[in-house]
Amino acid sequence: MHYDLTDLRVFLAVAQAGNVTRGAETAHLAPSSASQRIRDLEQALGVALFQRNARGVVLTPAGEALQRHAREVLARLEQMHADLAPFAAGIRAHVSLFANTNATNSFLPDDLGSFLRAYPQVSITLEEHTSPDIVRAVAAGQADLGVVAGQDGAEGLRFLPYRQDRLVWVLPPGHPLAGAEGLRFAQVVGEPFVSLQAGTAIHTFTMNHAADLGRHLNVRIQVRSFDAVCRMVAAGVGMGMVPRSAVARLEGVRCVTVEIQEPWARRDLHLCLPAGGPGNPFVAALVQSLGSQALVAPDAPL
């Protein structure tokens, strides 16, 4: 198959515009050149990508599939450029860090900011993944360092304390359960819930835990952050489950916290790295920097 990145960019521009002329303008090409590239792309792929009509063009099912893949290809290309740009600017080291939702939202922004100020020659790629995926990535060498909940993982890995936190229930003021000193999962599983989006570690955990009880969570809405969970709860949408550290950061959001009376409510975050230690001295420096935060107690006032 003979086509290039420019062909994909032209295809996406035309698909977005729904019109070859307007798509060509976006791609800074003459309409005739854009039309020829689309025809060549269709010939190379052996499928029709657009249905032509009097108003413009509409994607065929094959075109919709190509649109998804082309967006991913170009996004990965931009990420490659972003990863390489620091080296061109004189950055001498790069660290790949994978972390779970709790660490990414609650602790790492401040802790990584301090590290990067101290090491201006280092760049970091931070990706959010579930703890099991992080363990596998570190074991496979796909990430230099991970931050995970717990210490379960593959052989050949080492776990060091990073931070401690606790999951808590958050409820709207005036909720019938808001005055409880503590609640077990089985006591709230029938309540309307505000949840993080599917794929996050906490979402997966709560869904599986409800299934273990033979129940299904009544999820009213899924949002992208712990802050958004708390704001939705304060608005009366439902109740939620977030780390205590997330509630502590909020100002002006009226929601009530109640202890979760389950052993898994304690969230011990650990640094996950190869058992032999990091070979990169800057990864070792990051491990030392993050590890210095391990003295924060899970039940300390926040």
Side-chain angles (χ1 to χ4, degrees), residues 153-201:
E155 294 183 2
L157 296 179
R158 182 183 178 192
F159 295 87
L160 300 174
Y162 169 47
R163 290 275 197 169
Q164 294 178 323
D165 208 346
R166 284 194 69 86
L167 294 174
V168 295
W169 304 120
V170 284
L171 300 98
H175 190 283
L177 298 176
E181 292 185 4
L183 294 166
R184 298 184 64 82
F185 191 89
Q187 293 175 269
V188 303
V189 69
E191 296 289 323
F193 262 79
V194 178
S195 171
L196 288 183
Q197 289 184 327
T200 59

Short mmCIF file of all heavy atoms in Angstrom, two decimals, residues 153-201:
data_model
loop_
_atom_site.label_atom_id
_atom_site.label_comp_id
_atom_site.label_asym_id
_atom_site.label_seq_id
_atom_site.Cartn_x
_atom_site.Cartn_y
_atom_site.Cartn_z
N GLY A 153 2.55 -8.22 42.48
CA GLY A 153 3.10 -8.04 41.14
C GLY A 153 3.96 -9.19 40.69
O GLY A 153 4.03 -10.25 41.33
N ALA A 154 4.61 -8.97 39.56
CA ALA A 154 5.45 -10.00 38.95
C ALA A 154 6.76 -10.14 39.69
O ALA A 154 7.18 -9.27 40.45
CB ALA A 154 5.70 -9.63 37.48
N GLU A 155 7.41 -11.28 39.46
CA GLU A 155 8.74 -11.49 40.03
C GLU A 155 9.73 -10.53 39.40
O GLU A 155 9.55 -10.05 38.29
CB GLU A 155 9.18 -12.94 39.79
CG GLU A 155 8.34 -13.97 40.52
CD GLU A 155 8.86 -15.38 40.30
OE1 GLU A 155 9.90 -15.51 39.60
OE2 GLU A 155 8.24 -16.32 40.80
N GLY A 156 10.79 -10.26 40.13
CA GLY A 156 11.82 -9.37 39.61
C GLY A 156 11.53 -7.91 39.82
O GLY A 156 12.18 -7.06 39.22
N LEU A 157 10.53 -7.60 40.68
CA LEU A 157 10.18 -6.21 40.96
C LEU A 157 10.40 -5.90 42.43
O LEU A 157 10.37 -6.78 43.28
CB LEU A 157 8.73 -5.92 40.58
CG LEU A 157 8.36 -6.04 39.11
CD1 LEU A 157 6.88 -5.75 38.91
CD2 LEU A 157 9.21 -5.12 38.24
N ARG A 158 10.60 -4.65 42.70
CA ARG A 158 10.79 -4.17 44.08
C ARG A 158 9.76 -3.08 44.36
O ARG A 158 9.47 -2.27 43.48
CB ARG A 158 12.21 -3.61 44.22
CG ARG A 158 12.58 -3.11 45.60
CD ARG A 158 13.99 -2.54 45.53
NE ARG A 158 14.42 -1.98 46.79
CZ ARG A 158 15.51 -1.21 46.94
NH1 ARG A 158 16.25 -0.93 45.87
NH2 ARG A 158 15.84 -0.74 48.11
N PHE A 159 9.20 -3.08 45.57
CA PHE A 159 8.19 -2.09 45.95
C PHE A 159 8.68 -1.29 47.15
O PHE A 159 9.10 -1.87 48.15
CB PHE A 159 6.86 -2.78 46.27
CG PHE A 159 6.23 -3.47 45.10
CD1 PHE A 159 6.57 -4.78 44.78
CD2 PHE A 159 5.33 -2.80 44.29
CE1 PHE A 159 6.00 -5.42 43.69
CE2 PHE A 159 4.75 -3.42 43.20
CZ PHE A 159 5.09 -4.74 42.89
N LEU A 160 8.62 0.03 47.02
CA LEU A 160 9.04 0.92 48.09
C LEU A 160 7.87 1.81 48.50
O LEU A 160 7.07 2.22 47.65
CB LEU A 160 10.20 1.81 47.62
CG LEU A 160 11.47 1.09 47.16
CD1 LEU A 160 12.47 2.11 46.60
CD2 LEU A 160 12.09 0.31 48.31
N PRO A 161 7.72 2.13 49.78
CA PRO A 161 6.62 2.99 50.21
C PRO A 161 6.69 4.37 49.56
O PRO A 161 7.77 4.93 49.40
CB PRO A 161 6.82 3.09 51.73
CG PRO A 161 7.69 1.94 52.09
CD PRO A 161 8.57 1.70 50.90
N TYR A 162 5.52 4.88 49.17
CA TYR A 162 5.46 6.23 48.61
C TYR A 162 4.52 7.11 49.43
O TYR A 162 4.95 8.05 50.09
CB TYR A 162 5.02 6.17 47.15
CG TYR A 162 4.67 7.51 46.54
CD1 TYR A 162 5.51 8.62 46.73
CD2 TYR A 162 3.52 7.69 45.80
CE1 TYR A 162 5.20 9.85 46.19
CE2 TYR A 162 3.20 8.92 45.25
CZ TYR A 162 4.03 10.00 45.45
OH TYR A 162 3.70 11.22 44.93
N ARG A 163 3.24 6.83 49.40
CA ARG A 163 2.26 7.63 50.13
C ARG A 163 1.20 6.72 50.73
O ARG A 163 1.00 5.59 50.27
CB ARG A 163 1.56 8.62 49.19
CG ARG A 163 2.44 9.75 48.69
CD ARG A 163 2.46 10.88 49.67
NE ARG A 163 2.96 12.11 49.06
CZ ARG A 163 2.88 13.30 49.61
NH1 ARG A 163 2.33 13.44 50.80
NH2 ARG A 163 3.34 14.37 48.98
N GLN A 164 0.52 7.22 51.73
CA GLN A 164 -0.59 6.50 52.32
C GLN A 164 -1.84 7.38 52.30
O GLN A 164 -1.75 8.58 52.51
CB GLN A 164 -0.26 6.08 53.75
CG GLN A 164 0.86 5.04 53.83
CD GLN A 164 1.22 4.67 55.24
OE1 GLN A 164 1.20 5.51 56.13
NE2 GLN A 164 1.53 3.40 55.47
N ASP A 165 -2.96 6.75 52.05
CA ASP A 165 -4.21 7.48 51.93
C ASP A 165 -5.33 6.56 52.38
O ASP A 165 -5.08 5.39 52.71
CB ASP A 165 -4.41 7.92 50.47
CG ASP A 165 -5.24 9.19 50.34
OD1 ASP A 165 -5.89 9.59 51.32
OD2 ASP A 165 -5.25 9.78 49.24
N ARG A 166 -6.55 7.06 52.43
CA ARG A 166 -7.71 6.22 52.72
C ARG A 166 -8.84 6.60 51.78
O ARG A 166 -9.02 7.78 51.47
CB ARG A 166 -8.18 6.40 54.17
CG ARG A 166 -7.33 5.71 55.20
CD ARG A 166 -8.05 5.64 56.53
NE ARG A 166 -9.18 4.73 56.49
CZ ARG A 166 -9.10 3.41 56.71
NH1 ARG A 166 -7.92 2.87 56.97
NH2 ARG A 166 -10.16 2.65 56.66
N LEU A 167 -9.57 5.59 51.33
CA LEU A 167 -10.79 5.85 50.60
C LEU A 167 -11.89 6.18 51.60
O LEU A 167 -11.97 5.59 52.68
CB LEU A 167 -11.20 4.63 49.78
CG LEU A 167 -10.27 4.24 48.62
CD1 LEU A 167 -10.74 2.93 48.01
CD2 LEU A 167 -10.20 5.34 47.58
N VAL A 168 -12.74 7.13 51.25
CA VAL A 168 -13.87 7.51 52.09
C VAL A 168 -15.11 7.65 51.21
O VAL A 168 -15.02 7.84 49.99
CB VAL A 168 -13.63 8.85 52.83
CG1 VAL A 168 -12.48 8.72 53.84
CG2 VAL A 168 -13.36 9.99 51.84
N TRP A 169 -16.28 7.50 51.84
CA TRP A 169 -17.52 7.82 51.15
C TRP A 169 -17.73 9.34 51.17
O TRP A 169 -17.40 9.99 52.17
CB TRP A 169 -18.73 7.18 51.85
CG TRP A 169 -18.68 5.69 52.02
CD1 TRP A 169 -18.71 5.00 53.20
CD2 TRP A 169 -18.61 4.70 50.99
NE1 TRP A 169 -18.65 3.65 52.97
CE2 TRP A 169 -18.60 3.43 51.62
CE3 TRP A 169 -18.56 4.76 49.59
CZ2 TRP A 169 -18.54 2.24 50.91
CZ3 TRP A 169 -18.49 3.56 48.88
CH2 TRP A 169 -18.48 2.33 49.53
N VAL A 170 -18.23 9.89 50.10
CA VAL A 170 -18.67 11.29 50.09
C VAL A 170 -20.15 11.30 49.76
O VAL A 170 -20.61 10.63 48.83
CB VAL A 170 -17.86 12.14 49.09
CG1 VAL A 170 -16.49 12.47 49.64
CG2 VAL A 170 -17.74 11.46 47.72
N LEU A 171 -20.91 12.05 50.57
CA LEU A 171 -22.36 12.09 50.45
C LEU A 171 -22.84 13.53 50.44
O LEU A 171 -22.18 14.41 51.02
CB LEU A 171 -23.04 11.33 51.60
CG LEU A 171 -22.72 9.85 51.74
CD1 LEU A 171 -21.64 9.65 52.79
CD2 LEU A 171 -23.97 9.07 52.09
N PRO A 172 -23.99 13.79 49.82
CA PRO A 172 -24.54 15.16 49.86
C PRO A 172 -24.97 15.51 51.28
O PRO A 172 -25.39 14.64 52.05
CB PRO A 172 -25.76 15.08 48.93
CG PRO A 172 -25.64 13.79 48.19
CD PRO A 172 -24.84 12.86 49.05
N PRO A 173 -24.87 16.78 51.66
CA PRO A 173 -25.41 17.20 52.96
C PRO A 173 -26.89 16.84 53.06
O PRO A 173 -27.65 16.99 52.10
CB PRO A 173 -25.20 18.71 52.96
CG PRO A 173 -24.11 18.95 51.97
CD PRO A 173 -24.28 17.90 50.92
N GLY A 174 -27.30 16.33 54.21
CA GLY A 174 -28.70 15.97 54.39
C GLY A 174 -29.05 14.57 53.95
O GLY A 174 -30.19 14.13 54.11
N HIS A 175 -28.08 13.84 53.39
CA HIS A 175 -28.34 12.46 52.99
C HIS A 175 -28.63 11.63 54.25
O HIS A 175 -28.01 11.84 55.29
CB HIS A 175 -27.12 11.90 52.25
CG HIS A 175 -27.37 10.57 51.59
ND1 HIS A 175 -27.40 9.38 52.28
CD2 HIS A 175 -27.59 10.25 50.29
CE1 HIS A 175 -27.62 8.40 51.45
NE2 HIS A 175 -27.73 8.88 50.23
N PRO A 176 -29.58 10.69 54.19
CA PRO A 176 -29.92 9.89 55.37
C PRO A 176 -28.73 9.16 55.99
O PRO A 176 -28.74 8.89 57.19
CB PRO A 176 -30.95 8.89 54.83
CG PRO A 176 -31.56 9.57 53.65
CD PRO A 176 -30.46 10.39 53.05
N LEU A 177 -27.70 8.85 55.22
CA LEU A 177 -26.54 8.14 55.74
C LEU A 177 -25.39 9.07 56.12
O LEU A 177 -24.34 8.60 56.58
CB LEU A 177 -26.03 7.12 54.70
CG LEU A 177 -27.01 6.01 54.30
CD1 LEU A 177 -26.41 5.15 53.19
CD2 LEU A 177 -27.36 5.15 55.50
N ALA A 178 -25.57 10.37 55.93
CA ALA A 178 -24.46 11.31 56.13
C ALA A 178 -24.02 11.40 57.59
O ALA A 178 -22.89 11.80 57.87
CB ALA A 178 -24.86 12.70 55.63
N GLY A 179 -24.88 11.02 58.53
CA GLY A 179 -24.51 11.11 59.94
C GLY A 179 -23.85 9.86 60.48
O GLY A 179 -23.48 9.83 61.67
N ALA A 180 -23.66 8.84 59.66
CA ALA A 180 -23.06 7.59 60.13
C ALA A 180 -21.58 7.78 60.42
O ALA A 180 -20.89 8.55 59.76
CB ALA A 180 -23.25 6.49 59.09
N GLU A 181 -21.07 7.06 61.43
CA GLU A 181 -19.64 7.11 61.73
C GLU A 181 -18.84 6.31 60.71
O GLU A 181 -17.68 6.60 60.45
CB GLU A 181 -19.39 6.59 63.14
CG GLU A 181 -19.94 7.48 64.24
CD GLU A 181 -19.55 6.97 65.62
OE1 GLU A 181 -18.79 5.98 65.69
OE2 GLU A 181 -19.99 7.57 66.61
N GLY A 182 -19.46 5.27 60.19
CA GLY A 182 -18.79 4.44 59.20
C GLY A 182 -19.82 3.57 58.50
O GLY A 182 -20.88 3.26 59.05
N LEU A 183 -19.50 3.18 57.25
CA LEU A 183 -20.43 2.37 56.45
C LEU A 183 -19.65 1.31 55.69
O LEU A 183 -18.57 1.59 55.14
CB LEU A 183 -21.20 3.24 55.45
CG LEU A 183 -22.18 4.27 56.02
CD1 LEU A 183 -22.58 5.26 54.94
CD2 LEU A 183 -23.41 3.55 56.59
N ARG A 184 -20.20 0.11 55.65
CA ARG A 184 -19.62 -0.95 54.84
C ARG A 184 -20.17 -0.85 53.41
O ARG A 184 -21.21 -0.23 53.18
CB ARG A 184 -19.92 -2.32 55.44
CG ARG A 184 -19.33 -2.50 56.83
CD ARG A 184 -19.56 -3.91 57.34
NE ARG A 184 -18.87 -4.90 56.52
CZ ARG A 184 -17.58 -5.22 56.65
NH1 ARG A 184 -16.84 -4.62 57.60
NH2 ARG A 184 -17.01 -6.11 55.88
N PHE A 185 -19.49 -1.48 52.50
CA PHE A 185 -19.90 -1.42 51.09
C PHE A 185 -21.30 -1.97 50.90
O PHE A 185 -22.10 -1.41 50.14
CB PHE A 185 -18.89 -2.19 50.23
CG PHE A 185 -19.06 -1.97 48.76
CD1 PHE A 185 -18.41 -0.94 48.11
CD2 PHE A 185 -19.88 -2.80 48.01
CE1 PHE A 185 -18.57 -0.73 46.75
CE2 PHE A 185 -20.05 -2.60 46.64
CZ PHE A 185 -19.39 -1.56 46.02
N ALA A 186 -21.61 -3.06 51.60
CA ALA A 186 -22.92 -3.69 51.43
C ALA A 186 -24.06 -2.77 51.85
O ALA A 186 -25.19 -2.92 51.38
CB ALA A 186 -22.98 -4.99 52.22
N GLN A 187 -23.76 -1.80 52.73
CA GLN A 187 -24.81 -0.89 53.21
C GLN A 187 -25.14 0.21 52.20
O GLN A 187 -26.19 0.85 52.32
CB GLN A 187 -24.36 -0.25 54.53
CG GLN A 187 -24.24 -1.21 55.70
CD GLN A 187 -23.69 -0.52 56.92
OE1 GLN A 187 -22.48 -0.49 57.15
NE2 GLN A 187 -24.57 0.07 57.72
N VAL A 188 -24.27 0.44 51.24
CA VAL A 188 -24.48 1.56 50.31
C VAL A 188 -24.60 1.11 48.86
O VAL A 188 -24.82 1.93 47.98
CB VAL A 188 -23.33 2.59 50.42
CG1 VAL A 188 -23.20 3.09 51.85
CG2 VAL A 188 -22.00 2.00 49.96
N VAL A 189 -24.45 -0.19 48.60
CA VAL A 189 -24.38 -0.65 47.22
C VAL A 189 -25.65 -0.33 46.43
O VAL A 189 -25.62 -0.22 45.20
CB VAL A 189 -24.07 -2.17 47.18
CG1 VAL A 189 -25.26 -2.98 47.70
CG2 VAL A 189 -23.66 -2.62 45.79
N GLY A 190 -26.77 -0.14 47.11
CA GLY A 190 -28.00 0.19 46.41
C GLY A 190 -28.23 1.66 46.18
O GLY A 190 -29.21 2.05 45.52
N GLU A 191 -27.31 2.53 46.65
CA GLU A 191 -27.46 3.97 46.51
C GLU A 191 -27.06 4.44 45.10
O GLU A 191 -26.24 3.80 44.43
CB GLU A 191 -26.58 4.69 47.53
CG GLU A 191 -26.96 4.45 48.97
CD GLU A 191 -28.26 5.14 49.34
OE1 GLU A 191 -28.50 6.26 48.84
OE2 GLU A 191 -29.04 4.55 50.11
N PRO A 192 -27.61 5.56 44.64
CA PRO A 192 -27.13 6.16 43.38
C PRO A 192 -25.66 6.58 43.56
O PRO A 192 -25.30 7.16 44.58
CB PRO A 192 -28.03 7.37 43.18
CG PRO A 192 -29.22 7.12 44.05
CD PRO A 192 -28.74 6.31 45.22
N PHE A 193 -24.83 6.31 42.56
CA PHE A 193 -23.40 6.57 42.66
C PHE A 193 -22.93 7.55 41.59
O PHE A 193 -23.42 7.57 40.47
CB PHE A 193 -22.60 5.27 42.51
CG PHE A 193 -22.18 4.66 43.81
CD1 PHE A 193 -23.09 3.92 44.56
CD2 PHE A 193 -20.89 4.82 44.30
CE1 PHE A 193 -22.73 3.35 45.76
CE2 PHE A 193 -20.52 4.25 45.50
CZ PHE A 193 -21.43 3.51 46.24
N VAL A 194 -21.95 8.37 41.99
CA VAL A 194 -21.14 9.14 41.06
C VAL A 194 -19.81 8.43 40.98
O VAL A 194 -19.16 8.18 42.00
CB VAL A 194 -20.94 10.60 41.54
CG1 VAL A 194 -20.04 11.35 40.55
CG2 VAL A 194 -22.28 11.29 41.71
N SER A 195 -19.37 8.06 39.78
CA SER A 195 -18.19 7.21 39.61
C SER A 195 -17.18 7.84 38.67
O SER A 195 -17.53 8.67 37.82
CB SER A 195 -18.62 5.84 39.06
OG SER A 195 -17.51 5.05 38.69
N LEU A 196 -15.95 7.45 38.84
CA LEU A 196 -14.96 7.75 37.82
C LEU A 196 -15.27 6.96 36.56
O LEU A 196 -16.04 6.00 36.58
CB LEU A 196 -13.55 7.41 38.30
CG LEU A 196 -12.93 8.30 39.38
CD1 LEU A 196 -11.51 7.85 39.66
CD2 LEU A 196 -12.94 9.76 38.98
N GLN A 197 -14.65 7.35 35.47
CA GLN A 197 -14.95 6.70 34.19
C GLN A 197 -14.45 5.26 34.17
O GLN A 197 -13.53 4.88 34.89
CB GLN A 197 -14.31 7.48 33.05
CG GLN A 197 -14.98 8.82 32.79
CD GLN A 197 -14.40 9.53 31.59
OE1 GLN A 197 -13.21 9.42 31.30
NE2 GLN A 197 -15.22 10.29 30.89
N ALA A 198 -15.07 4.46 33.33
CA ALA A 198 -14.66 3.06 33.17
C ALA A 198 -13.20 2.99 32.76
O ALA A 198 -12.71 3.81 31.97
CB ALA A 198 -15.54 2.38 32.12
N GLY A 199 -12.50 2.01 33.29
CA GLY A 199 -11.08 1.83 32.99
C GLY A 199 -10.18 2.30 34.10
O GLY A 199 -9.03 1.87 34.19
N THR A 200 -10.69 3.19 34.97
CA THR A 200 -9.89 3.60 36.12
C THR A 200 -9.90 2.48 37.16
O THR A 200 -10.82 1.66 37.22
CB THR A 200 -10.43 4.89 36.75
OG1 THR A 200 -11.79 4.67 37.16
CG2 THR A 200 -10.38 6.05 35.75
N ALA A 201 -8.86 2.47 37.99
CA ALA A 201 -8.72 1.38 38.96
C ALA A 201 -9.89 1.35 39.93
O ALA A 201 -10.43 0.28 40.25
CB ALA A 201 -7.40 1.53 39.71
#
